[in-house]
Each structure stands twice: as structure tokens, then as C-alpha cells.
């Protein structure tokens, strides 16, 4: 773990007076980009390592979830680059069909223009204009936090190359019978007038009403059933009533019909295992065109499926006076008519229930039967599951695997068409005589044929992201070098929606390519990524999910402005572990800023004392403190490597934080102050420089800006971005040196505490004699001990007034001090009495709570344990203060 001595050692004047991130971060980042450090070479002989950035929406801006994602990916790629890999971190943006179209439509509406006024082609051009002028705000924000992406390969899901990939895979899937058109139930947004994906549906608890309706005769002696619904208007589309086949109450009714209360249609009573006989009345209405479960029952019983709403959510086709009403207006009107007919048995208001809402437009979504394009997922999903089962792709943490399998093993066919104008147009064309044909990117439809008006779900194109961005379907150097990608970093909340689609498409195209080439598919080459690292959600400091409604969201760029990008990054990485949520608050960011300042001040001190990395002398020429800190560095290096390899960012950051702050700054730097004034000065400077050199390299992936500034000043090197990653030293640890330093630390800590108890100020020097140092094997540490606890050599007439014994591993050391004339006895007694009163109050309070049986019966075990600990501490504090007062004659 050594590095060559710099030809031109730096001087502390190369560093500013203090660390000011805002003054240097932008220039440092631009310097990295200009130097080409982040530009990947697909022809390099180095082993490849690649990550594709989960493409943020072109309409978006950086939020804390993005900041976490980007920090972790940047840390991984920076480390691999330093380890000698050819690294590609490929950036890009998603065209975000619904979100982007909505923005442009609103802008046009403000001018009194609709998209229909412009026509499809002109409207799409307007969207492209908006994208060129206003889209991609997030790219500038990525630069602010230091994303080391290859900007030369920046991609957009609507680029020509990616559009070609979309058309290619669509045709292959279509030709293989895996894409089909069918009328089935979808999530419909009446405001957007399009089908939307499951991930764009957010469920909210709302207050509605539960209405119990009577079907059949109003005479209790005649056949009838009672059903309950929160959506009364949908009863206009009821085509059956279902009961459980084993429900004795309705056995005689199964197979008969009842008259619909409003339309007059005869609707059958069917038996279906889906019905829960214990819930409500044990009978449910079936509206196949407007409820997912009803739709499945409708298929099983071959029921009619009348669609009673148009694309705007208005009632249509029922032949009743409700046609033309908005669905919510109809809900009230239908209930009132049923009540007038004596059909309403009961009403429950308010009734709290979960309702799906469109994430984009906010209104309740409407399950609606609609003619759409679908992907048949059975075989695709099986291959995605098998890839994880076989170990070709590994999910971190493995605890997420059951969720993965439960999803891909029970996946339903995927609706991929959207009734929008912005997006990848479905490459299906219709001929004048009813012909239907799918044309690939290199085919030209016959004249007079019309293209399908729908566009593809955004998740369809983003499902191709790992390989379409590298030039697929062409055989490119990027695909050969960097695909499959090394790891996908994303939140566990989109495991199903995006990761599954990439896995399905990745395995499909790889197998398809192998078969086309007449080869046996290589399972190792089929997957789009080797590892899937799933991190948790970023929550506020109280553990609550961040949201606009709660007002607890944090703008990561605000933290960059106030604390620096390194502070933002370290805060997020320090809390990140596989699959676990993390809570962050301003205190965490301030702590991370303080850490950056600590590194800055430590390095500046080292430079002021001539520290520089270089070839280390033989171990026997080093002091115990030198050997100890080098051994600790080696242990931390190994721990950090292991944590990074397991994606345990929190453990890596914690190890580096405590090593840097607790061991390097609090101990070794203080010992170095003593050593640089003696014979050990040259080696101390080299050891200190070497330790800081390696520490800054180890920290660089997470806190790149401050480490770049400090490393260059310390080493005179080009950039830590392209510096080598610290390697194992190959030298065995020195347990004797470690024990001596441990004893020294214990001695210093206890003497510092004793001095505080005596009322001595930290900077106050006191004459002292240390007895038993030889037996404790601490001769070599004596100078450091005296310096660290401000103890001067005693004079000939030394008369100690107090002493403290400290038991160490080899022997007990007694420290005798002369505090006469150094302590204001009156002030000290007053302070001690004040502290005693506080401790006695704490003891009384905790004892009272622990003696309260009612409190003990209700309080959680953890709370009780904490109070017992406080009680014990209070007692110990009372004993300590009482003993000290006794020493001062105040018994």
C-alpha cells in the first residue's frame, strides 16, 4: 500500500484557507469531463465494467431517490475505474410519454390551442421543440452531484437508434406470436383518455359509500339476492350475480335468472369459487367490463361484457336516462333511482376504501374493457425467473428473490398500447382490404396503408435500455465489450415493472440472436445484467416517506448548495444497504459536511508538517504508532473492499468515517505532532502521507470533490479519478504494537477523564509522575502520553496532590498529579454540587418510573431497559461526584 514519491511535492498553500465546495466543485467536474476520464474505450484491453443509468423522465428533476441512485452508481464506477477496469456508465433520458405530452398540451391550452387543432405531426414536432429547449433539466443536476457518466454516449429513448431497436423487437415478438391485439380490461384514465400501466396507478384511501342493493323480487318470500357495491353506477353493466357453489343459502337460485332492477334484462345467478361466502351477504354483482375480478369471472362463465362508459368516463350504451352523465354524477342518480324503487337495502357513509388514481392526472382510474395491443408474457417471464434461479443474475439482497419469483411466476399479459401521440408509434399497418402487417425499421409499407394510431408504453422502450443504448440490433464494439452490464442499481419499488421487462427482453433477444446464428444460446450471455442491487427508499429523519402532501421532501440540490455535493453523497451512501430504507435529515448533512472539513484540516496539517507519501522504511524502523496505523489502514481497506463487493455502502462508509475521524485524526495525528519533532520525523512524514494518500483514494468513490483537491495537493498527482485503488500490503499485522497503542489510548482516555473530574481545563498543563510505565511496556509511548494529556515533567520538589490508577493489559500505571494552585476549589465544589443535584434528580425520576407497576405493564421492553440504564448511570455518577466532594473535604 505504497505509492511513489511525487516529483513536485505540494505545499499547504496549494489549498485554500478552508474547504468551500461551492468554489471548486464545478471546475473540478468540468476538468474531469474535459480530460476524458469518464469516456469509455470499447477497444481497450482492460476488463469491461458497465452500468446503464436508469433513464429519468425528460420532464423530471433530481429528487432524493435519484440522488441516492446516482451516488451509488457513481461510487461503483469510480472504484472500478481505479481498479483498472474499462468503465462505461451510460447516461440517458426517457421520453416519458404521458408526462411529456401532458406538459405540452397544457402549454398549448394556455394559448387556446388543442393538439387536435395542430394535427398529429405538428403536435409531435411541438413536443420535440419542448424537449430540445426545456427537457433534460436533470442532466445539469447530475453534473452538480458529480456523476461520472460518459456524456459522449448520452441516449434518449426516442433517438433514431433506439427507435430502430423498438421496431425490431416489436416485429420479432409479433412474428413469434408473442404480441397480439385483444379486447381486455385495462387501467383507463378518463382525463388522459388512454390506458395506463400499473405503476402509474397510485392507491389512496378515500371516503365513499357502500350501498347494498336488492336484486330480484321485493317480496322476501320470492327469489332475491342482496349485493353491496361502492360503485353503484356500474350496476348498469351487470350481467350476472355470483355466489359460492357451496353456499346453501343460494343453492336453489344457481342457474336461474333475476330481472335487472333498471334495465329489465334477465341476468343469471352463477356459482364461482372466487366468491367469499363469509363476506357480506355472500353474493356479488358481476360487471365484467369494469372490474378485473368480474372480468375473469365473465370469461369463466361466458358472460356478456357490455362497456357502459366512453373514453371520457361518461355513461353510454345502456339505453337508460343515465347515458351522457359523468360517472360520478351517474353514481348519485342511479342510487337515487334505486332508492325510489325500493332497491336500496342499506347505505354506509362514510365508507373508507382503497381507490386507484392516475399518478399523472390525479383522477380515479376506471377499469375498462378496451381493444389494445398485448405482450404474451408466459415464456418471457419464465426465462426471467430462470435467470435468477440459475444464478446468471444475482439479486442483492437475496431476501428480495421471493418477491421476484412471485411476480414473474404469476405475471399477466402486458398491455403495451397507449392512446397518445408522443411515443414510439406501433409498427402495425392496415391495408385497404383489411390486411394487417407489422413492418420492421428497414421495411416500407405499401402506399395507401395506414399505421396504427397508438403508441407503445414507455416501459416497452425502457425495457430495451441495457442493449438498445449500445447499438443493438447491430453487432457493436460496445455490446461486445460492455454487455451484459455488470450491475443494475435501482430501488426495490420498481423491481417488478422495469427490471422484469428488461430481463424478459434481454433473455429473448439473446436467445433469438443465438438461434438465428445457428448456435446454442449461452445462458451467461442472455441476461442484461449480472447483478441487481436493490436499495431502499429515502425517508425523512423521522422515517416517514417523503411526499409533497406531507411537505417533508428534501431537494438534493439545496443540500449541494448549502453543504456541498460530497456531504449529500456521503449522507446517502452512509445510510445505504441492500433492500433497506434510509432516513436522512439536515443533521446528517451537517455531519457529513463536518467530515469533509475534518479531512481538509487533517490533510492541511499534514502538509504543513511536510507529510508526503513515499516508500516506507523497514518495519523495524517504524514506531509502534506507525505500525499500528498502517495495520489499521490495511484492515479498513479489506473491510471496505468486502463491503463494496457486497453493495454494503453503509458499512464501507462507516469503516472509513471512524478510521479517518477516530483513529487518524484523533490519535495518529496527535501522536505525529510529537514524533515530527524528534528522530522519527522523516518516517512519520512518510507514514502520515501514505496513510492519507490511501485514505483519500478509498474515500474518493463516495466523496470525489474534497478527495480530488486534497489528493492532488498531497501527492502532486494528475487526478485521484485515475489513481490506482489501494492494494493489500502483504505485510502481517503487528499485534504487539496494536496492544501498546491500545494501552496508551486507554491510559490517555482515563487520565483525561480524571483531569476533567478534577476540574482541570483541557489545555491546562500539570506536573505529573507516571509510575509503572516500564512494567506496562509503554516506554516508547511516554512522550505521546504526556503530550496528549498535558502532563509536564515533575520538578525535584514534586509533591502530588491526587493520583489515578489505570489497569492496562500488562500492568497498572499510576499517574500522580500536583493540582495545587491549578484548581479554583470554590468553583469546583459549586460545579460538583450542581452536577450532583442533576444526577440525584435523574435517579429519582427513573426510580419512580421503574416503581410504577402500571407504567411497567404498558411500556415496551426496550423503553424499560433504557430507563434502567439511565438509573444505573445516575447512581454511578452520584458515587463518583460524592467521592470527589469527599476528597475536597465536603463529605
Amino acid at each position: 500500500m505504497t505509492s511513489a514519491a511525487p516529483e513536485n511535492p505540494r505545499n499547504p498553500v496549494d489549498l485554500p484557507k478552508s474547504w468551500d465546495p461551492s468554489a471548486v466543485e464545478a471546475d473540478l467536474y468540468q476538468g474531469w469531463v474535459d480530460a476524458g476520464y469518464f469516456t469509455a474505450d470499447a477497444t481497450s484491453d482492460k476488463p469491461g465494467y458497465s452500468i446503464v443509468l436508469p433513464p429519468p423522465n425528460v420532464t423530471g428533476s433530481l429528487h432524493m431517490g435519484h440522488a441516492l441512485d446516482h451516488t451509488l452508481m457513481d461510487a461503483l464506477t469510480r472504484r472500478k475505474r481505479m481498479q483498472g477496469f474499462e468503465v462505461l456508465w451510460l447516461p440517458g433520458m426517457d421520453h416519458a410519454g404521458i408526462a411529456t405530452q401532458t406538459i405540452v398540451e397544457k402549454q398549448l391550452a394556455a394559448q387556446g390551442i388543442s393538439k387536435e387543432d395542430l394535427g398529429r405531426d405538428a403536435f409531435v414536432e411541438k413536443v420535440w421543440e419542448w424537449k430540445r429547449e426545456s427537457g433534460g433539466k436533470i442532466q445539469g443536476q447530475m453534473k452538480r452531484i458529480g456523476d461520472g457518466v460518459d456524456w459522449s454516449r448520452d441516449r434518449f429513448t426516442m433517438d433514431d437508434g433506439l427507435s430502430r431497436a423498438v421496431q425490431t423487437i416489436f416485429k420479432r415478438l409479433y412474428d413469434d406470436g408473442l404480441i397480439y391485439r385483444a379486447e381486455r380490461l385495462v387501467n383507463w384514465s378518463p382525463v388522459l383518455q388512454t390506458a395506463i400501466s400499473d405503476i402509474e396507478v397510485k392507491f389512496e384511501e378515500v371516503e365513499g359509500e357502500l350501498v347494498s342493493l336488492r336484486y330480484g323480487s321485493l317480496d322476501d318470500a320470492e327469489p332475491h339476492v342482496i349485493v353491496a357495491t361502492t360503485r353503484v353506477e356500474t350496476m348498469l353493466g351487470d350481467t350476472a350475480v355470483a355466489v359460492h357453489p357451496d353456499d346453501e343459502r343460494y343453492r336453489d337460485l344457481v342457474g336461474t335468472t333475476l330481472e335487472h332492477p333498471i334495465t329489465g334484462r334477465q341476468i343469471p345467478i352463477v356459482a364461482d369459487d372466487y366468491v367469499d361466502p363469509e363476506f357480506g351477504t355472500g353474493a356479488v354483482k358481476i360487471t365484467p367490463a369494469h372490474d378485473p375480478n368480474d372480468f375473469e369471472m365473465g370469461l369463466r362463465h361466458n358472460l356478456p361484457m357490455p362497456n357502459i362508459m366512453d373514453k371520457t368516463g361518461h355513461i353510454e350504451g345502456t339505453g337508460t336516462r343515465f347515458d351522457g352523465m359523468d360517472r360520478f354524477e351517474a353514481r348519485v342518480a342511479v342510487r337515487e333511482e334505486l332508492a325510489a324503487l325500493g332497491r336500496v337495502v342499506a347505505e354506509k357513509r362514510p365508507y373508507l376504501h382503497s381507490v386507484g388514481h392516475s399518478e399523472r392526472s390525479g383522477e380515479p382510474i376506471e377499469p375498462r374493457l378496451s381493444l389494445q395491443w398485448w405482450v404474451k408474457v408466459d415464456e418471457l417471464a419464465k426465462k426471467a425467473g430462470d435467470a435468477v434461479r440459475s444464478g446468471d443474475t444475482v439479486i442483492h439482497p437475496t431476501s428480495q428473490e421471493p418477491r421476484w419469483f412471485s411476480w414473474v411466476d404469476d405475471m399477466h399479459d402486458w398491455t403495451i398500447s397507449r392512446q397518445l401521440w408522443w411515443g414510439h408509434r406501433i409498427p402495425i399497418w392496415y391495408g385497404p382490404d383489411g390486411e394487417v402487417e407489422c413492418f420492421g425499421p428497414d421495411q416500407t409499407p405499401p402506399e395507401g396503408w395506414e399505421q396504427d394510431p397508438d403508441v407503445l408504453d414507455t416501459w416497452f422502450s425502457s425495457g430495451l435500455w441495457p442493449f438498445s443504448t449500445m447499438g443493438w440490433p447491430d453487432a457493436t464494439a460496445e455490446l461486445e465489450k460492455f454487455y451484459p452490464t455488470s450491475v443494475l442499481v435501482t430501488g426495490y419499488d420498481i423491481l417488478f415493472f422495469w427490471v422484469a421487462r428488461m430481463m424478459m427482453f434481454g433473455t429473448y433477444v439473446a436467445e433469438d440472436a443465438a438461434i438465428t446464428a445457428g448456435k446454442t444460446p449461452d445462458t451467461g450471455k442472455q441476461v442484461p445484467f449480472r447483478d441487481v442491487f436493490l436499495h431502499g427508499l429515502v425517508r425523512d429523519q423521522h422515517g416517514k416517506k417523503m411526499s409533497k402532501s406531507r411537505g417533508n421532501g428534501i431537494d438534493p440540490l439545496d443540500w449541494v448548495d448549502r453543504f456541498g455535493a460530497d456531504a449529500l453523497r456521503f449522507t446517502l451512501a452512509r445510510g445505504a444497504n441492500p433492500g433497506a430504507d434510509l432516513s436522512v435529515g439536515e443533521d446528517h448533512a451537517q455531519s457529513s459536511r463536518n467530515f469533509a472539513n475534518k479531512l481538509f484540516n487533517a490533510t492541511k496539517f499534514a502538509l504543513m508538517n511536510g507529510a508526503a507519501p513515499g516508500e516506507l522504511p523497514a518495519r523495524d524502523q517504524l514506531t509502534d504508532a506507525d505500525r499500528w496505523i498502517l495495520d489499521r489502514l490495511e484492515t479498513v481497506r479489506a473491510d471496505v473492499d468486502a463491503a463494496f463487493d457486497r453493495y454494503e455502502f453503509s458499512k464501507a462508509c462507516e469503516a472509513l468515517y471512524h478510521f479517518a475521524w477516530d483513529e487518524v485524526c484523533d490519535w495518529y495525528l496527535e501522536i505525529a505532532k510529537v514524533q515530527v519533532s524528534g528522530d522519527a520525523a522523516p518516517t512519520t512524514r512518510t507514514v502520515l502521507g501514505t496513510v492519507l494518500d490511501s485514505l483519500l483514494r478509498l474515500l474518493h468513490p463516495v466523496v470525489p470533490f474534497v478527495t480530488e483537491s486534497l489528493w492532488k495537493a498531497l501527492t502532486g498527482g494528475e487526478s485521484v479519478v485515475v489513481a490506482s485503488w489501494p492494494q493489500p500490503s502483504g505485510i502481517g499485522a503487528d499485534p504487539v504494537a496494536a496492544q501498546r497503542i491500545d494501552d496508551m489510548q486507554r491510559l490517555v482516555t482515563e487520565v483525561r477523564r480524571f483531569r476533567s473530574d478534577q476540574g482541570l481545563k483541557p489545555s491546562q498543563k500539570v506536573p505529573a509522575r507516571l509510575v509503572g510505565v516500564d512494567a506496562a511496556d509503554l516506554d516508547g509511548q511516554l512522550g505521546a502520553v504526556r503530550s496528549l494529556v498535558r502532563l509536564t515533567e515533575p520538578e525535584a520538589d514534586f509533591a502530588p496532590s491526587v493520583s489515578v490508577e489505570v489497569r492496562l493489559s500488562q500492568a497498572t500505571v499510576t499517574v500522580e498529579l500536583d493540582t495545587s494552585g491549578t484548581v479554583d476549589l470554590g468553583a469546583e465544589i459549586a460545579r460538583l454540587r450542581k452536577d450532583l443535584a442533576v444526577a440525584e434528580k435523574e435517579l429519582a425520576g427513573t426510580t419512580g418510573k421503574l416503581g410504577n407497576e402500571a407504567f411497567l405493564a404498558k411500556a415496551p421492553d426496550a423503553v424499560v431497559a433504557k430507563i434502567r440504564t439511565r438509573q444505573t448511570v445516575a447512581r454511578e455518577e452520584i458515587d463518583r461526584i460524592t467521592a470527589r466532594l469527599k476528597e475536597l473535604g465536603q463529605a
Side-chain angles (χ1 to χ4, degrees), residues 263-274:
T263 66
R265 297 193 311 270
Q266 290 293 317
I267 61 175
I269 296 179
V270 299
D272 196 286
D273 289 333
Y274 168 77

Side-chain angles (χ1 to χ4, degrees), residues 288-307:
H290 294 279
D291 182 272
N293 297 315
D294 292 6
F295 176 75
E296 296 297 331
M297 284 193 286
L299 291 176
R300 287 195 291 271
H301 299 283
N302 197 29
L303 298 174
M305 298 186 181
N307 197 334

Side-chain angles (χ1 to χ4, degrees), residues 421-434:
W421 285 358
W422 171 245
H424 294 283
R425 191 90 172 260
I426 289 179
I428 294 289
W429 295 73
Y430 304 102
D433 297 320

Side-chain angles (χ1 to χ4, degrees), residues 534-547:
L534 301 170
H535 59 73
L537 304 178
V538 184
R539 298 181 179 274
D540 70 12
Q541 59 189 339
H542 304 295
K544 296 187 180 298
K545 187 176 180 180
M546 293 184 182
S547 68

